[in-house]
């Protein structure tokens, strides 16, 4: 998979190049931060394209993103911070 393309709202944002040994494609519902703007992955498409005159094909991934509102992003960040544990033993009931 030589390239991974990132698109949002009908336009291509950028393309990254990867090697066949190290391929990174985000999964659906993952958060990707691009230029300090959080975006959520909503779809991933894989396209096979011919290479040269042989029947060899390369697979390219297209990752579709939607922007996340600032309020939702702040809620996600708050949930990620560890909470202080009480000093006593755990409450079981």
């Amino acid at each position: 998979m030589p390239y991974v393309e990132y698109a949002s709202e009908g336009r291509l944002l950028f393309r990254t190049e990867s090697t066949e040994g190290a391929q990174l494609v985000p999964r659906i519902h993952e958060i990707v931060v691009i230029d300090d703007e959080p975006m959520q992955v909503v779809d991933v498409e894989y396209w096979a394209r011919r290479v040269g005159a042989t029947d060899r094909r390369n697979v390219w991934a297209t990752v579709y993103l939607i922007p996340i509102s600032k309020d939702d992003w702040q809620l996600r960040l708050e949930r990620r911070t560890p909470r202080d544990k009480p000093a006593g033993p755990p409450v079981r009931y």
Side-chain angles (χ1 to χ4, degrees), residues 1-3 17-24 51 56-59:
M1 195 174 329
Y3 295 105
E17 189 171 351
S18 63
T19 63
E20 292 192 19
Q23 301 168 358
L24 178 64
V51 177
R56 183 167 182 245
R57 295 175 186 259
N58 277 344
V59 177

Side-chain angles (χ1 to χ4, degrees), residues 12-13 25 28 33 39 53-54 71-72 89 91-92:
L12 182 67
L13 297 176
V25 178
I28 294 176
V33 179
M39 302 186 120
T54 64
D71 297 334
D72 288 344
V91 177
R92 300 199 184 270

